[in-house]
Amino acid sequence: MQVRTSLVGTTQNDTNEGGRRKTRGDDRTTGCAVEATLSVIGGRWKGVVLFHLLKGKKRFGELRRHLPNCTQRMLTLQLRELEEDGLVKRTVFPEIPPRVEYELTPFGRSVEPILVGMRDWGEKYKARL
């Protein structure tokens, strides 16, 4: 397997048995759908980004304000991965300075029940503490 680090993250130039490129969410090795889900929406920031995008389109600066502990680089990486996985749509407007908006795709909206359930569970957990 050859791994190349680019400016936006790590990409794998690797194929599986079927000759297709491996991607996040590829659960063919273990067959675990939970692993596939967590590989796409897991991590510290992706779920939070997706949750804020449930309310509608957001610009990068708006997302940064919602995630004050997330670095600009990390937010950029997470948004690019979510876009690559088809959950987030990035729209660049041809203006000076350029305006960029992020929104959920229809596929991205399909994670809403999961995110709302996570929020509800988190509220119950915080109340327990």
Side-chain angles (χ1 to χ4, degrees):
M1 172 171 72
Q2 177 185 11
V3 176
R4 178 179 57 84
T5 303
S6 68
L7 293 175
V8 298
T10 302
T11 57
Q12 294 182 352
N13 296 327
D14 187 21
T15 57
N16 58 23
E17 315 78 54
R20 293 191 318 213
R21 188 165 174 251
K22 290 183 182 179
T23 60
R24 281 181 310 283
D26 185 354
D27 69 337
R28 281 174 277 183
T29 305
T30 63
C32 180
V34 173
E35 182 181 348
T37 302
L38 289 174
S39 70
V40 175
I41 67 168
R44 185 167 180 189
W45 302 113
K46 285 183 181 178
V48 181
V49 168
L50 291 168
F51 184 76
H52 287 296
L53 289 175
L54 286 174
K55 299 169 189 150
K57 296 177 185 179
K58 299 271 187 281
R59 294 178 67 177
F60 186 84
E62 291 177 276
L63 290 169
R64 282 285 319 267
R65 284 190 290 280
H66 286 296
L67 293 90
N69 296 325
C70 182
T71 66
Q72 181 172 336
R73 175 170 165 67
M74 181 54 67
L75 181 55
T76 299
L77 292 172
Q78 300 290 275
L79 284 165
R80 286 185 181 165
E81 287 182 8
L82 289 167
E83 182 182 12
E84 181 182 307
D85 291 332
L87 278 74
V88 169
K89 177 183 172 193
R90 177 179 187 259
T91 306
V92 180
F93 295 89
E95 303 171 354
I96 304 290
R99 178 171 50 113
V100 180
E101 289 182 344
Y102 296 91
E103 64 182 309
L104 293 178
T105 63
F107 181 60
R109 285 231 161 256
S110 69
V111 299
E112 183 172 3
I114 297 167
L115 297 170
V116 170
M118 289 172 64
R119 180 204 58 201
D120 294 345
W121 186 89
E123 288 173 353
K124 289 175 189 170
Y125 176 75
K126 285 175 26 179
R128 245 184 103 194
L129 298 178

